[in-house]
Each structure stands twice: as C-alpha cells, then as structure tokens.
Amino acid sequence: MTERAAPSSIDPAEVAKFQAMAREWWDPQGKFKPLHMLNPTRLDYVTRQIAAQFGRDLAAPRPFQRLTLLDIGCGGGLMAEPMARLGATVTGADAAEGNIAVASLHAQEQCLPIDYRATTAEALAAEGLAYDVVMALEIVEHVAEPSEFITTCRDLIRPGGMLIQSTLNRTARSFAAAIVGAEWVMRWLPKGTHDWRRFITPDELAQMTEASGLSVVDRCGMVFNPLGWSWSLSHRDLSVNYAMTALRPA
C-alpha cells in the first residue's frame, strides 16, 4: 500500500519567489535588507516572550539551554542563528531548498549546530515531532491556507509550549510601507514579493490561532521610524508589522 504524502499549505509560486533570492540572505544591503533592519527588534520580541514563558534569565550566557525550537520558513537563518547562540536546540525548516543550502553553509561557517531541513511543517508534524517553541515569522501571509498552516503549527508544539508569529497587517499603511515603499520606491525587494490582499489583520490571525486550540497571550507591533531609520516594539501600533504569541495548554 502506498503511503499518502502529508498535505501541504505551501504555495509553490511563493516558494519560487524566495528560492530565486536565496543567495541574497546574508547580504545586509541586498534584497533582504528590510529583514536585516527588522531582525534585532524581532529578536527582542521573541526572546522576551520565551524568557517570560519558561522563566529564563536573558542575562545568562545561554538562557535557552534545554529548549527545543522550530523556525518554520527559516529562510537563510537570520533568526535561527541567534536562537542557537542563546542555547536553544534549533531546527530550521524551509520549503525552498536554495534557502536551506545557504542557511546550512552559513551555520557551518559560524560553527552553529542547527538542524536545517528542506521540508514543510506538515511533513514534520507527520513525523510526530514537537517543540517547546515554534516560530513562524513572515510566513503566514505566503502560505496557501493560513488557518490550516496554524493548525499544523499547533500540532508541532508540546503542551505548555508556544507559537510566535509575525506578519503584516492589511491596512493602507502596510500597502504604502511594504509594497510602495519597500518594493516600488526603495527597491529593497523585487516587485510582487508581497500581495497586499494576503496580508492578515491581528483580529483575523488571533481568530485563526484561537480556533486551532491555542490561546493568544500577546500582540505587539513592530514600528519603523524613518527619521531615526530604526525599528521599535509597540503594543499600541500594529498597523503595519506585528507579532503575536500564543500558548498550547499544558
């Protein structure tokens, strides 16, 4: 009897976009410049949420030792690498094989033992794998079925574990910033990288997350200041980029 392949929320067209840009991941002035600029703020949010949930001291040398973490849609490893340096046992998964090749090589150069896999969340769930923390950063707006993808993320979380997502709100400001600004004017990203119609409001994301059986405990905006050319966290302004944390009941 032939085994049926695990269903996938992967959108091949979206994967192809990032496969084409794979070699650019670690160029801070290249096509992923916006993520390089945003990364310290994303890291600040993620580490605070993990530390609060698991009672870890961020001032310790390797505060996330003995925690397992899955970075779904890891790209070139911009978040996976700092999480490994903080002591977490990290698995990075991406459907674009080119991303995984770049991420693996860079991790080897940095002597970081990250388990990178060219695979999908659904395939990992089918293996029965589970983690303390699942990160799905800047990915939910690129999958074919966001609600099904989030349910798969839930299946990959251990009881008492957490899901941290980040994405783009569907507002006029997000269209101006992420598409007009980043793609058309600054040309940081190729035109067509984002589809504004696929952006997800915080209420929509929270509803899908809660429907999967997770409990949303935090929403936070990531706000760009063009005058200071810097990013900051804000629990009041979620109009463009934002992150959300949810817990799986113990």
Side-chain angles (χ1 to χ4, degrees):
M1 181 176 178
T2 303
E3 290 188 6
R4 294 179 62 186
S8 175
S9 61
I10 294 300
D11 183 329
E14 293 296 301
V15 173
K17 291 179 186 177
F18 291 92
Q19 177 90 342
M21 296 187 286
R23 294 184 180 181
E24 303 260 0
W25 274 107
W26 288 98
D27 179 2
Q29 301 302 319
K31 291 184 173 67
F32 293 101
K33 181 175 181 177
L35 279 184
H36 281 273
M37 294 169 61
L38 175 61
N39 218 44
T41 304
R42 290 197 303 178
L43 185 62
D44 186 20
Y45 179 80
V46 168
T47 54
R48 288 188 195 185
Q49 293 298 313
I50 296 174
Q53 173 64 12
F54 295 100
R56 302 304 178 93
D57 180 4
L58 290 175
R62 290 169 60 82
F64 296 156
Q65 280 187 317
R66 297 179 300 281
L67 290 179
T68 56
L69 182 146
L70 171 64
D71 185 3
I72 302 176
C74 62
L78 298 188
M79 283 293 289
E81 288 199 5
M83 299 310 294
R85 289 191 179 94
L86 290 169
T89 301
V90 178
T91 298
D94 202 292
E97 293 184 4
N99 289 347
I100 292 299
V102 169
S104 298
L105 178 60
H106 198 271
Q108 291 173 12
E109 292 172 347
Q110 303 298 311
C111 298
L112 292 171
I114 299 172
D115 179 14
Y116 281 118
R117 304 185 184 192
T119 188
T120 65
E122 291 81 6
L124 293 172
E127 292 183 43
L129 300 174
Y131 304 84
D132 296 310
V133 179
V134 172
M135 297 192 307
L137 308 178
E138 281 71 55
I139 182 175
V140 70
E141 71 271 23
H142 296 290
V143 301
E145 297 292 342
S147 59
E148 293 179 8
F149 171 75
I150 293 169
T151 297
T152 302
C153 290
R154 177 210 62 200
D155 294 340
L156 287 162
I157 303 168
R158 290 175 176 164
M162 66 197 312
L163 170 65
I164 303 176
Q165 304 175 80
S166 64
T167 188
L168 285 154
N169 198 348
R170 193 174 62 256
T171 63
R173 282 187 63 189
S174 71
F175 184 88
I179 296 178
V180 175
E183 295 184 18
W184 300 356
V185 178
M186 302 304 293
R187 297 184 181 180
W188 286 333
L189 295 168
K191 288 184 179 180
T193 298
H194 292 108
D195 182 346
W196 182 83
R197 295 167 297 180
R198 300 177 75 153
F199 290 3
I200 300 170
T201 70
D203 286 346
E204 290 169 346
L205 186 63
Q207 183 178 26
M208 288 187 283
T209 302
E210 295 272 357
S212 77
L214 300 174
S215 298
V216 174
V217 295
D218 189 75
R219 309 181 191 192
C220 186
M222 294 178 284
V223 181
F224 181 64
N225 178 359
L227 297 178
W229 210 246
S230 60
W231 289 85
S232 61
L233 296 173
S234 170
H235 279 92
R236 294 192 301 175
D237 186 354
L238 282 69
S239 61
V240 182
N241 297 79
Y242 69 94
M244 184 175 292
T245 298
L247 305 179
R248 180 166 185 174

